[in-house]
Amino acid sequence: MALNQELEAVTKAFSGHGVDEKTLTTILGKWDPLERESFRKKTPHFFSEDHERHFQRWDDHYVRLLKHEFVRFKNAVVLWTMHPWERDARLAKEALKKGPSSYGVLIEIACTRSSEELLGARKAYHSLFDHSIEEDVASHIHGIERKLLVALVSVYRYEGSKLKDDTAKSEAKTLSNAVKNAHKKPIIEDDEVIRILATRSKPHLQAIYKHYKEISGNNLDEVLDTTKAPLQTVQCLCTPQIYFSKVLDAALRIDVHKNTKKALTRVVVTRADIDMKEIKAEYHNLYGVSLPQKIEETAKGNYKDFLLNLIARGN
């Protein structure tokens, strides 16, 4: 392989989701000092030239990004081997540390797990951090979403199939009125909306979702697109495969924020044994490309191979 081809291959190996360890090992391991210098000079987005001192230095920002790419495979393996309760507890703790941009992870855990799984995560949180997750959510979150989030992580939902359709229809009207009056009172501050979203069973909420469309002509999540926490809550409870497909699509875009990228590992690892087959079908339906193909195009190295192995489970 000519040097220019090797330079291109190494640049590509350093770019994207994860790194191509095989290419880096094969090519970088044999380069002499002049070849390494050529690489530094021809990749100005990685290195900057110090003209006064006559050397090329790594861009600090890119080094930080690259560190995250190198650890993606390790993080995926560690998360995969954790007990699901511990995994969710640690994901919740990390979301609280990172602040408002990560609160959606709390909603995801609270609304897409079974009642027993959420209870298990709460037990693991006790064990790991000597606090309850409810306590930490209440003390760390100070915005208007606090009441909803505390209610969601505290709940133990009924999981049977029985529901009262008249009640579901009445509560769909309650939500419709809350949406109409959102300019007077934000939906997220409406106690009745919080009660419905935080306590009703998933079959009941799916019935509400259906009746809401019959009443208003719109899907509930379509009219909540400006209210992030209620929107994520409704999607996670009523259309989880659509929710996860959208999260994966955002995570697989090039040059997205590192926290957005992390969702790729989180979703694949946490859903591989649950509903990945349905998520893959929904992803293909929404975006016209298979999820394995998109990962093949976007991710690299051992990280890519591990993700592909996980999403192939249950085929």
Side-chain angles (χ1 to χ4, degrees):
M1 187 184 295
L3 179 59
N4 283 342
Q5 292 175 305
E6 290 182 342
L7 290 170
E8 184 179 345
V10 170
T11 301
K12 187 177 179 181
F14 272 133
S15 308
H17 295 60
V19 293
D20 183 348
E21 295 92 347
K22 185 177 180 181
T23 295
L24 294 177
T25 301
T26 302
I27 297 177
L28 285 180
K30 72 179 185 63
W31 272 356
D32 62 30
L34 289 177
E35 288 169 322
R36 296 198 299 275
E37 181 181 4
S38 179
F39 170 67
R40 292 192 296 270
K41 287 183 174 180
K42 292 186 177 183
T43 50
H45 54 298
F46 291 167
F47 298 90
S48 59
E49 187 78 35
D50 187 320
H51 297 285
E52 182 181 349
R53 300 169 185 84
H54 306 294
F55 79 105
Q56 308 83 32
R57 52 170 291 178
W58 269 106
D59 176 86
D60 290 339
H61 174 68
Y62 195 81
V63 169
R64 288 193 293 271
L65 292 179
L66 200 54
K67 285 179 180 178
H68 288 288
E69 301 304 334
F70 270 106
V71 300
R72 287 195 193 283
F73 173 62
K74 181 214 71 171
N75 288 343
V77 171
V78 171
L79 276 178
W80 178 246
T81 52
M82 274 184 193
H83 191 289
W85 295 359
E86 178 182 2
R87 185 166 62 213
D88 280 345
R90 292 191 181 279
L91 288 171
K93 186 69 170 180
E94 182 183 23
L96 285 168
K97 285 182 178 178
K98 289 187 178 298
S101 64
S102 296
Y103 290 163
V105 177
L106 296 170
I107 295 172
E108 183 180 306
I109 293 169
C111 297
T112 66
R113 283 25 169 191
S114 70
S115 294
E116 282 297 313
E117 288 166 344
L118 179 56
L119 179 60
R122 289 157 64 187
K123 290 178 179 179
Y125 200 97
H126 288 179
S127 173
L128 291 165
F129 307 117
D130 296 319
H131 291 93
S132 72
I133 188 171
E134 301 94 322
E135 176 187 358
D136 279 358
V137 168
S139 61
H140 284 77
I141 298 175
H142 303 292
I144 60 173
E145 64 268 78
R146 175 166 62 180
K147 188 183 292 187
L148 174 62
L149 289 172
V150 170
L152 290 175
V153 299
S154 306
V155 74
Y156 188 92
R157 294 179 194 272
Y158 165 68
E159 294 194 324
S161 59
K162 293 182 179 179
L163 61 90
K164 293 182 178 179
D165 197 60
D166 288 346
T167 303
K169 187 177 293 186
S170 173
E171 291 179 341
K173 291 178 181 176
T174 298
L175 290 178
S176 178
N177 289 332
V179 169
K180 289 177 183 176
N181 294 315
H183 63 287
K184 299 178 183 176
K185 183 178 186 180
I187 292 170
I188 201 169
E189 293 182 350
D190 189 306
D191 288 340
E192 277 297 283
V193 172
I194 291 173
R195 177 188 65 79
I196 292 167
L197 294 180
T199 65
R200 290 304 191 186
S201 71
K202 293 177 184 179
H204 185 98
L205 286 161
Q206 286 161 357
I208 290 174
Y209 189 90
K210 175 176 72 75
H211 287 306
Y212 185 93
K213 185 166 186 178
E214 292 169 354
I215 293 168
S216 69
N218 298 307
N219 288 326
L220 182 55
D221 50 347
E222 291 173 348
V223 299
L224 293 174
D225 59 1
T226 58
T227 53
K228 191 172 182 182
L231 171 63
Q232 288 179 307
T233 302
V234 168
Q235 288 182 334
C236 285
L237 289 167
C238 298
T239 57
Q241 285 79 37
I242 294 176
Y243 165 81
F244 283 121
S245 294
K246 290 180 177 180
V247 172
L248 287 168
D249 182 64
L252 284 163
R253 294 173 189 167
I254 301 300
D255 296 330
V256 294
H257 190 273
K258 60 183 176 65
N259 286 343
T260 304
K261 277 188 179 183
K262 288 181 74 171
L264 176 59
T265 302
R266 185 184 77 248
V267 172
V268 171
V269 167
T270 59
R271 309 314 294 179
D273 284 333
I274 310 298
D275 56 355
M276 184 52 70
K277 185 176 181 180
E278 292 78 11
I279 291 170
K280 285 191 291 185
E282 191 60 53
Y283 188 92
H284 190 272
N285 179 55
L286 287 173
Y287 303 110
V289 62
S290 75
L291 181 58
Q293 180 184 339
K294 187 67 175 179
I295 290 175
E296 185 76 49
E297 293 171 355
T298 310
K300 293 184 171 56
N302 294 330
Y303 178 62
K304 175 192 72 176
D305 295 339
F306 190 63
L307 294 182
L308 291 174
N309 281 337
L310 293 187
I311 66 173
R313 298 169 62 85
N315 279 356

